[in-house]
Amino acid sequence: MPTFSSDEIARLASLARIDLTPDELTRFAVELEVIAHAVERVSELATDDVPATSHPIPLTNVWRLDVPGAVVDRDEVLAQAPAAEDGRFAVPQILGEE
Amino acid sequence: MTDSTSSPTGSLTRRSAADLAALLRAGEVSAVEVATAHLDRIADVDPAVHAFLHVDGEDTLAQARAVDARRAAGEDLPELAGVPIAVKDVVVTRGTPTTAGSRILEGWLPPYDATLVTRLREAGLPMLGKTNMDEFAMGSSTEHSGYGPTRNPWDLDRIPGGSGGGSAAALAAFEAPLAIGTDTGGSIRQPAAVTGTVGVKPTYGSVSRYGLVALASSLDQAGPCTRTVLDAALLHEVIGGHDPLDSTSLPEPAVGYADAARQGLSGDLTGVRIGVVRELGGSGDAQGYQREVSAAFERSVAALTAAGAEVVEVSCPSFEAALAAYYLILPAEASSNLAKFDGMRFGLRVEPAEGPVTAERVMAATRGAGFGSEVKRRIILGTYALSAGYYDAYYGSAQKVRTLIQRDFTAAFEAADVLVSPTAPTTAFRLGEKLSDPLAMYLNDVATIPANLAGVPGISVPNGLDDAGLPIGLQILAPARADARLYRVGAAAETLLARSEGPVLDRIPEVAR
């Protein structure tokens, strides 16, 4: 278990696209250290012969007929967008300067 | 008393949903009268309790009028038609604000209804409003709501549990006879325990997740919050059953629960094998459990035995690691599920204070401003648990622990038909008491989490009061798809307790205003 530094928190926050204040960086480093230490013990029980469970009640081959049905109304959806124009979401610049 | 409970229609707020349904069916009251009594009660006490984030009385009354009109026209209506309900704000409701307790969704009007909401509408249950919760259901106290905490009607200085504290408090304060909750690690059962109400986490897949704001998709399950076990069974039958819009929805119908509850109300448990889990407050692990919680649990086991049940002790050694596995799996799934809150298509959008306004920087500024501390903490922990180099050690190991927990349940359910434990290790703590120590807050869920990891159903029923007069909960767990057993044994436990000390909620003090 690595020690959580403010730099490590900043790296994770950047991966998760969350701006953190300097105070949050410091506080989370301390708190996550404690939490990470507490959850570390899972590796003691997880031996190689134990399979992983990703879902509590596995259902396989869940199909339904591919028929056209009602969909949400476009105007109702766009009315909730922070910005929209010409029947589409309007978003800030996605690519670089070019 | 000057409150609405003493007025003629005000007494309606004290009735169970089953009683209200009978009165409505007999034509003794109208759906409008029932809705009005509850709206009046909300107006009266909710400024002090803050169970609701959104109430639209006109909309509620319009729904109630529609039910009355259908009944007047001679239509044969579903059993709970006209009984109003409160819905946790994590469930999307078309055209009605849905925030999941987060500022990032403030003002959002969903363009569709969750499947369970569609079913409530079809069954004629007027919606009273949306209830408060910890932001995105992350918490055990409702203090992590972006809109201020809910207070426990038993003592306004204490927490109502979480994440569904609003739904539980609304029931205990007689603001609603029925409510919807969601339970990812105990968010229905623990609030029920600390408010003296009933909460059910059904088998995973029993109630559709379509239209829930997802926290951890492999753990989330919606269910009934009520004041009686029979009411929970009736509500489960309304909202449960297969939904083609949720690929994890179980194929079988949700039937037989009310019958099971009615069977249990006799208080006879002859032939039922009840397992006391050593590691959940049983004889091997009373440490960390409040003295009165353990004593009440022992009393209820003795009462169940006297009612004819055969009590056995079972051991589930891997439950000790359940909390650790949960706090890896949940943040991992949440960090992925919450990626959609990016300020692009709905909800809050915040531009960076300085520098270029690119989509990526707007996302980070929006999420930094819109998410509260607990949400940020868990997203970062989840991002860490899923990141290269740590995935196997953390997320992978946690999933293996999940297998071990399932195996423990399988073995335990060979020896017993249901398992019992205290729902929560303590009664309601004070507001602010555990806010500065996230790990201490997490420990509240120690007894409820194993059920979510294994997908099995669980119920919390009232189990008396502690020395300070605060409610204690009894948890009953059943094998997957055997939810009916919860209702039978839960109703029996409720009956036995009522025989010895009367219904717990009869002793709640009037809400101070």
Side-chain angles (χ1 to χ4, degrees):
Chain A
M1 168 64 65
T3 300
F4 279 99
S5 61
S6 294
D7 286 351
E8 175 69 357
I9 299 291
R11 185 184 74 87
L12 292 166
S14 149
L15 287 172
R17 304 280 185 273
I18 302 178
D19 282 349
L20 295 181
T21 63
D23 171 61
E24 284 175 322
L25 287 172
T26 314
R27 193 155 46 86
F28 288 174
V30 176
E31 289 167 349
L32 287 170
E33 181 80 22
V34 174
I35 295 166
H37 182 70
V39 298
E40 205 174 12
R41 54 183 318 212
V42 291
S43 54
E44 296 162 21
L45 285 170
T47 49
D48 286 345
D49 56 327
V50 180
T53 294
S54 60
H55 228 266
I57 298 180
L59 299 171
T60 48
N61 297 338
V62 177
W63 306 106
R64 59 185 156 96
L65 291 177
D66 184 14
V67 290
V71 294
V72 293
D73 181 76
R74 187 184 69 176
D75 293 339
E76 200 176 340
V77 170
L78 290 177
Q80 297 301 313
E85 58 184 62
D86 302 333
R88 286 169 289 185
F89 294 112
V91 301
Q93 179 192 341
I94 294 172
L95 303 173
E97 294 294 324
E98 308 311 312
Chain B
M1 288 197 297
T2 57
D3 63 283
S4 59
T5 55
S6 58
S7 71
T9 55
S11 65
L12 290 173
T13 58
R14 292 258 165 178
R15 301 274 193 161
S16 70
D19 283 354
L20 290 172
L23 291 172
L24 286 157
R25 187 168 287 267
E28 291 180 32
V29 292
S30 68
V32 167
E33 285 172 321
V34 176
T36 302
H38 286 93
L39 290 169
D40 287 351
R41 178 70 179 166
I42 291 169
D44 199 16
V45 300
D46 212 54
V49 177
H50 193 226
F52 286 89
L53 291 178
H54 177 81
V55 176
D56 181 347
E58 282 310 309
D59 184 39
T60 309
L61 290 172
Q63 295 175 54
R65 272 193 292 273
V67 173
D68 286 336
R70 285 168 69 187
R71 205 184 298 278
E75 217 179 304
D76 186 27
L77 298 175
E79 182 158 1
L80 292 177
V83 180
I85 189 163
V87 177
K88 188 178 180 183
D89 205 31
V90 75
V91 182
V92 306
T93 42
R94 187 173 185 181
T96 296
T98 301
T99 67
S102 182
R103 288 283 176 186
I104 211 166
L105 279 179
E106 190 168 12
W108 180 55
L109 300 175
Y112 68 108
D113 275 331
T115 294
L116 77 85
V117 171
T118 303
R119 292 185 179 174
L120 293 174
R121 293 194 200 280
E122 285 169 357
L125 283 80
M127 192 173 74
L128 289 164
K130 306 295 292 289
T131 56
N132 198 11
M133 54 184 286
D134 287 296
E135 183 176 7
F136 292 115
M138 297 186 197
S140 308
S141 69
T142 315
E143 292 169 294
H144 292 307
S145 167
Y147 302 91
T150 296
R151 291 165 183 275
N152 191 324
W154 287 84
D155 177 347
L156 296 177
D157 292 331
R158 292 179 186 270
I159 59 102
S163 67
S167 284
L171 295 165
F174 304 103
E175 295 172 89
L178 297 171
I180 295 293
T182 58
D183 189 313
T184 304
S187 289
I188 288 176
R189 289 163 288 160
Q190 180 258 9
V194 301
T195 56
T197 59
V198 175
V200 178
K201 182 204 95 72
T203 297
Y204 181 84
S206 175
V207 178
S208 171
R209 290 186 298 109
Y210 180 75
L212 306 189
V213 179
L215 169 53
S217 304
S218 78
L219 304 165
D220 295 345
Q221 181 57 209
C225 306
T226 59
R227 289 191 295 259
T228 73
V229 175
L230 176 60
D231 284 358
L234 291 166
L235 182 54
H236 191 169
E237 290 183 359
V238 172
I239 59 175
H242 183 67
D243 177 18
L245 298 177
D246 173 2
S247 65
T248 61
S249 169
L250 295 175
E252 57 260 29
V255 293
Y257 304 144
D259 286 346
R262 290 192 181 100
Q263 185 190 1
L265 287 173
S266 68
D268 179 16
L269 287 173
T270 305
V272 178
R273 299 173 304 160
I274 291 179
V276 173
V277 187
R278 217 178 126 74
E279 290 79 9
L280 295 183
S283 62
D285 169 48
Q287 203 188 355
Y289 286 79
Q290 188 180 324
R291 179 180 53 78
E292 300 107 301
V293 169
S294 295
F297 177 64
E298 282 168 27
R299 274 199 305 279
S300 55
V301 170
L304 297 170
T305 309
E310 179 195 335
V311 174
V312 296
E313 184 176 85
V314 297
S315 181
C316 299
S318 58
F319 282 15
E320 274 182 68
L323 195 75
Y326 177 83
Y327 278 101
L328 285 164
I329 291 169
L330 180 139
E333 293 191 14
S335 68
S336 169
N337 274 328
L338 270 60
K340 62 176 157 291
F341 301 103
D342 58 8
M344 296 295 124
R345 292 153 299 158
F346 47 79
L348 186 70
R349 178 182 288 181
V350 175
E351 296 194 349
E354 52 194 36
V357 182
T358 62
E360 199 168 297
R361 298 186 77 244
V362 168
M363 288 178 191
T366 300
R367 290 158 66 81
F371 288 149
S373 284
E374 182 62 15
V375 172
K376 291 175 183 170
R377 204 155 35 223
R378 292 202 200 181
I379 289 176
I380 286 168
L381 182 63
T383 304
Y384 170 71
L386 291 176
S387 61
Y390 301 116
Y391 183 95
D392 287 340
Y394 294 106
Y395 190 62
S397 296
Q399 289 192 313
K400 290 180 171 192
V401 169
R402 204 164 175 176
T403 304
L404 297 174
I405 287 164
Q406 287 200 327
R407 287 177 183 171
D408 278 359
F409 268 120
T410 303
F413 284 127
E414 277 168 18
D417 301 313
V418 296
L419 306 178
V420 291
S421 78
T423 309
T426 68
T427 54
F429 47 89
R430 288 182 192 285
L431 287 162
E433 194 177 321
K434 299 190 179 180
L435 260 186
S436 59
D437 185 351
L439 199 60
M441 187 78 91
Y442 296 173
L443 286 171
N444 251 284
D445 304 330
V446 70
T448 46
I449 279 173
N452 299 83
L453 290 171
V456 306
I459 188 173
S460 179
V461 294
N463 198 20
L465 304 180
D466 72 2
D467 293 348
L470 296 168
I472 297 168
L474 171 70
Q475 177 176 241
I476 304 162
L477 302 170
R481 297 176 150 119
D483 304 48
R485 291 185 200 172
L486 302 180
Y487 294 112
R488 181 181 172 194
V489 179
E494 179 182 55
T495 297
L496 297 168
L497 185 79
R499 274 183 202 159
S500 63
E501 44 186 280
V504 163
L505 275 171
D506 283 0
R507 282 180 279 162
I508 190 169
E510 183 46 55
V511 175
R513 277 149 289 159

